[in-house]
Amino acid sequence: MNVKKSIEYKKCVFLASRRAMLENELLLKDFVQEFVPENYTLNEIKEFNEFLEKIFDNDLFDVIFGIKPASFYSSKYPGRFLADIENFAYENNRILKIKNKIKR
């Protein structure tokens, strides 16, 4: 099954696009479009949706911008998702790209 056609994936796109902080939204939209379909199963996407519903944007911001490592929140949120987001954020210097988008 193509996960991009599933209700769970569409919910994932919606949740990534509705963040309280623009920086989080910009990174998560890319993460959901580029990383999630290739690396998560349908059940993992369901779990990721629950994660997106529960995580505070301030905590997510801290991980995306390297203020705190993903492991800092391991007792609060599923570590795999935060680690994947953290690694994705630093691939190809995505953080700099986000900062440049915001400055425009």
Side-chain angles (χ1 to χ4, degrees):
M1 176 185 184
N2 181 354
V3 296
K4 286 189 174 185
K5 293 183 179 184
S6 70
I7 292 170
E8 291 81 6
Y9 179 76
K10 291 175 184 177
K11 181 178 180 179
C12 190
V13 171
F14 176 81
L15 291 171
S17 300
R18 301 292 186 260
R19 304 312 303 183
M21 297 175 123
L22 178 60
E23 298 87 349
N24 293 348
E25 183 177 321
L26 291 171
L27 182 90
L28 279 180
K29 282 172 45 178
D30 289 345
F31 180 79
V32 166
Q33 292 172 346
E34 297 173 28
F35 186 88
V36 169
E38 302 297 321
N39 296 282
Y40 290 173
T41 65
L42 203 51
N43 283 337
E44 289 170 325
I45 292 173
K46 289 178 187 177
E47 291 173 18
F48 186 63
N49 286 343
E50 291 174 17
F51 163 80
L52 289 176
E53 289 174 339
K54 293 178 182 173
I55 191 165
F56 292 111
D57 274 290
N58 290 339
D59 297 344
L60 188 57
F61 182 91
D62 287 348
V63 171
I64 289 173
F65 283 90
I67 297 166
K68 294 179 183 164
S71 60
F72 181 83
Y73 295 106
S74 62
S75 64
K76 196 171 183 181
Y77 307 110
R80 176 193 176 180
F81 299 133
L82 275 177
D84 287 346
I85 291 168
E86 181 179 51
N87 292 333
F88 185 84
Y90 286 94
E91 281 179 5
N92 302 319
N93 208 9
R94 291 178 194 272
I95 299 303
L96 183 59
K97 292 175 187 174
I98 290 171
K99 288 178 182 179
N100 288 337
K101 281 183 184 178
I102 294 169
K103 288 181 182 178
R104 292 182 194 167

